[in-house]
Amino acid sequence: MKHIVKIMAVVVAISAFWVGLLQTSIVSQDYTWLLPIYFIVSLGCYGLLMVGIGLMQFPTCPQEALLLQQVLYLRFYYNLLLYVIVLDEDILEAKDFLKQRDVDVGSD
Amino acid sequence: MEGEEKKNKYSIIIPTYNERLNIALVVYLVFKHLPDVDFEIIIVDDGSPDGTQDIVKQLQQVYGEDRILLRARPKKLGLGTAYIHGLKHASGNFVVIMDADLSHHPKYLPSFIKKQMETGASIVTGTRYVKGGGVHGWNLMRKLTSRGANVLAHTLLWPGVSDLTGSFRLYRKSVLEDVISSCVSKGYVFQMEMIVRASRKGYLIKEVPITFVDRVYGSSKLGGSEIVEYLKGLVYLLVTT
């Protein structure tokens, strides 16, 4: 079944429930007329909330970036900080190995 | 499990375009982190003018032409077809797809393989959005767009995977062949289409955390046209899957 059909089914089910409420007048009609608006507003709130939570909890990896940048970007800092910060040994090792075998890995 | 490990072969497909400075590092790191694994690296180079292919030929001298396969194409022909092109030459029963620009670190490869063996999954996809994973180099706008896109996709598509647009993945070869043939999208949407179609076909998909350091040698690109493409892709997937 195409996914749009599933979503349409959900929408139809909700609409049917709403029409049912209107017909039977279990709750006051005035109130029932407003339900779709509440529904759309709460859908929007859900979206915003999820985006907000996602933004706040956005996983970052500054260490990883630092390791890469030290070697690939900041040659100047690299020389300066060599003795202070742990470098990504992986990449240094790779460059040594490849240079020994005459593979061009750039100047830094 | 031990026996299975012995006979599994992994074909690592790496599409490149102007990755002269990165490709040798990536190849070295793959060899370093997969010491006891039978694998081959298939580099699909789209006619890079910076001499990427020369570096790959040098690497072939070091590691052997049976481990490093250069399958070049004359010009830039898009990511999706690059995978199809690489897939044609793959001899492994599993295929790994990764970027050449070091935004995907090869040190995560063993966790992909381990996860696949533990679960028997058909696809293991790297996710940046769980604990242990992460992203670097994105500003607030980029994060906001990414989150919005994610919430939208999850609300509409129910894909069952947390990272839809990631491109660091391990596929069973037959599954990749099956899924890729029905995918028509490009760029970000292509990755999403692959995983959504696979999910709809009922393939078992598992996730492992990865970190993603954005475009070490370039600037990240996510403008208005990408957003429009993404929304179009979303609608396309809604009505076709």
Side-chain angles (χ1 to χ4, degrees), chain B residues 160-226:
Chain B
V161 181
S162 69
D163 193 346
L164 290 169
T165 50
S167 53
F168 195 177
R169 291 177 183 157
L170 181 148
Y171 295 85
R172 206 178 281 279
K173 189 185 173 194
S174 54
V175 172
L176 182 58
E177 285 168 339
D178 178 21
V179 174
I180 209 165
S181 57
S182 46
C183 288
V184 297
S185 308
K186 291 185 167 58
Y188 289 93
V189 182
F190 174 76
Q191 306 295 352
M192 180 162 76
E193 181 172 11
M194 294 264 280
I195 209 78
V196 170
R197 286 200 187 279
S199 161
R200 298 283 189 263
K201 285 179 185 235
Y203 291 121
L204 182 60
I205 304 171
K206 292 287 174 185
E207 296 188 301
V208 289
I210 57 160
T211 57
F212 182 86
V213 180
D214 205 7
R215 307 296 299 176
V216 183
Y217 275 114
S219 55
S220 56
K221 44 200 166 21
L222 194 72
S225 62
E226 269 84 10

Side-chain angles (χ1 to χ4, degrees), chain A residues 4 12-13 20 26 28 31-33 37-38 46 55 61 65 70 86 95 98-99 101:
Chain A
I4 189 80
V12 167
I26 300 170
S28 139
Y31 186 63
T32 314
W33 276 112
I37 297 167
Y38 287 155
Y46 161 81
L55 262 187
C61 50
Q70 276 171 3
V86 184
K95 289 204 164 178
L98 294 163
K99 266 182 198 155
R101 282 158 185 79

Side-chain angles (χ1 to χ4, degrees), chain A residues 31-101:
Chain A
Y31 186 63
T32 314
W33 276 112
L34 288 174
L35 279 180
I37 297 167
Y38 287 155
F39 179 72
I40 289 164
V41 169
S42 50
L43 209 62
C45 287
Y46 161 81
L48 285 179
L49 189 74
M50 293 308 285
V51 172
I53 291 175
L55 262 187
M56 279 190 292
Q57 296 181 337
F58 209 105
T60 53
C61 50
Q63 307 89 337
E64 297 278 330
L66 190 67
L67 293 175
L68 269 181
Q69 280 179 353
Q70 276 171 3
V71 180
L72 298 174
Y73 246 165
L74 309 172
R75 205 170 81 198
F76 174 76
Y77 279 165
Y78 158 61
N79 287 325
L80 204 68
L81 300 177
L82 188 60
Y83 307 102
V84 190
I85 300 178
V86 184
L87 290 158
D88 192 333
E89 289 174 5
D90 263 356
I91 287 178
L92 289 179
E93 192 186 307
K95 289 204 164 178
D96 282 348
F97 177 89
L98 294 163
K99 266 182 198 155
Q100 279 167 25
R101 282 158 185 79

Side-chain angles (χ1 to χ4, degrees), chain A residues 2-4 7 50 54-55 59-61 64-65 68 72-73 90 93-94 97-98 101-104 106, chain B residues 20 28 32-33 55 58 63 102 105 107 128 134-136 144 147 156-157 200 211 216 238-241:
Chain A
K2 302 284 185 231
H3 198 72
I4 189 80
I7 289 179
M50 293 308 285
L55 262 187
T60 53
C61 50
E64 297 278 330
L68 269 181
L72 298 174
Y73 246 165
D90 263 356
E93 192 186 307
F97 177 89
L98 294 163
R101 282 158 185 79
D102 297 325
V103 179
D104 188 1
Chain B
R20 201 176 72 86
Y28 174 87
K32 174 178 174 170
H33 288 283
I55 303 284
Q58 292 172 5
Y63 292 104
L102 282 170
H105 198 299
K107 72 182 170 192
R128 301 160 286 186
V135 165
H136 184 83
L144 187 69
R147 274 309 183 192
L156 292 176
L157 292 172
R200 298 283 189 263
T211 57
V216 183
L238 263 178
V239 296
T240 58
T241 67

Side-chain angles (χ1 to χ4, degrees), chain B residues 6 14 22 56 59 62 87 103 105 117-118 123-124 128 137 152 170 181 183 214 218 221-222:
Chain B
K6 292 267 154 47
I14 308 179
N22 293 323
V56 175
L59 288 165
V62 177
L87 196 55
S103 52
H105 198 299
M117 288 194 162
E118 283 170 2
I123 301 176
V124 180
R128 301 160 286 186
L152 203 59
L170 181 148
S181 57
C183 288
D214 205 7
K221 44 200 166 21
L222 194 72

Side-chain angles (χ1 to χ4, degrees), chain B:
Chain B
M1 279 298 165
E2 278 296 306
E4 202 186 0
E5 189 168 5
K6 292 267 154 47
K7 67 179 195 292
N8 281 340
K9 181 171 180 183
Y10 299 85
S11 300
I12 302 169
I13 300 178
I14 308 179
T16 57
Y17 185 77
N18 286 351
E19 298 290 359
R20 201 176 72 86
L21 294 176
N22 293 323
I23 190 64
L25 297 178
V26 171
V27 166
Y28 174 87
L29 293 175
V30 171
F31 274 88
K32 174 178 174 170
H33 288 283
L34 295 178
D36 304 317
V37 177
D38 186 13
F39 69 89
E40 63 188 0
I41 300 176
I42 302 170
I43 293 161
V44 181
D45 185 69
D46 276 4
S48 305
D50 75 340
T52 302
Q53 292 184 26
D54 300 333
I55 303 284
V56 175
K57 281 168 193 153
Q58 292 172 5
L59 288 165
Q60 285 180 320
Q61 299 303 313
V62 177
Y63 292 104
E65 289 186 19
D66 55 328
R67 306 302 297 279
I68 311 233
L69 286 69
L70 176 59
R71 296 291 177 263
R73 303 191 294 175
K75 60 180 168 68
K76 252 191 148 170
L77 293 166
L79 208 54
T81 56
Y83 295 143
I84 294 172
H85 186 78
L87 196 55
K88 269 189 257 170
H89 303 281
S91 64
N93 54 335
F94 285 95
V95 174
V96 176
I97 282 172
M98 62 185 292
D99 290 353
D101 64 0
L102 282 170
S103 52
H104 295 149
H105 198 299
K107 72 182 170 192
Y108 294 105
L109 285 169
S111 68
F112 279 81
I113 292 173
K114 187 158 161 275
K115 189 74 167 185
Q116 195 285 323
M117 288 194 162
E118 283 170 2
T119 61
S122 295
I123 301 176
V124 180
T125 176
T127 176
R128 301 160 286 186
Y129 300 135
V130 298
K131 203 168 183 299
V135 165
H136 184 83
W138 286 11
N139 59 16
L140 184 65
M141 198 55 210
R142 181 81 198 269
K143 286 181 182 174
L144 187 69
T145 321
S146 158
R147 274 309 183 192
N150 228 332
V151 168
L152 203 59
H154 278 93
T155 311
L156 292 176
L157 292 172
W158 318 338
V161 181
S162 69
D163 193 346
L164 290 169
T165 50
S167 53
F168 195 177
R169 291 177 183 157
L170 181 148
Y171 295 85
R172 206 178 281 279
K173 189 185 173 194
S174 54
V175 172
L176 182 58
E177 285 168 339
D178 178 21
V179 174
I180 209 165
S181 57
S182 46
C183 288
V184 297
S185 308
K186 291 185 167 58
Y188 289 93
V189 182
F190 174 76
Q191 306 295 352
M192 180 162 76
E193 181 172 11
M194 294 264 280
I195 209 78
V196 170
R197 286 200 187 279
S199 161
R200 298 283 189 263
K201 285 179 185 235
Y203 291 121
L204 182 60
I205 304 171
K206 292 287 174 185
E207 296 188 301
V208 289
I210 57 160
T211 57
F212 182 86
V213 180
D214 205 7
R215 307 296 299 176
V216 183
Y217 275 114
S219 55
S220 56
K221 44 200 166 21
L222 194 72
S225 62
E226 269 84 10
I227 296 173
V228 172
E229 283 306 309
Y230 181 84
L231 293 177
K232 275 201 245 167
L234 215 55
V235 173
Y236 169 74
L237 286 178
L238 263 178
V239 296
T240 58
T241 67

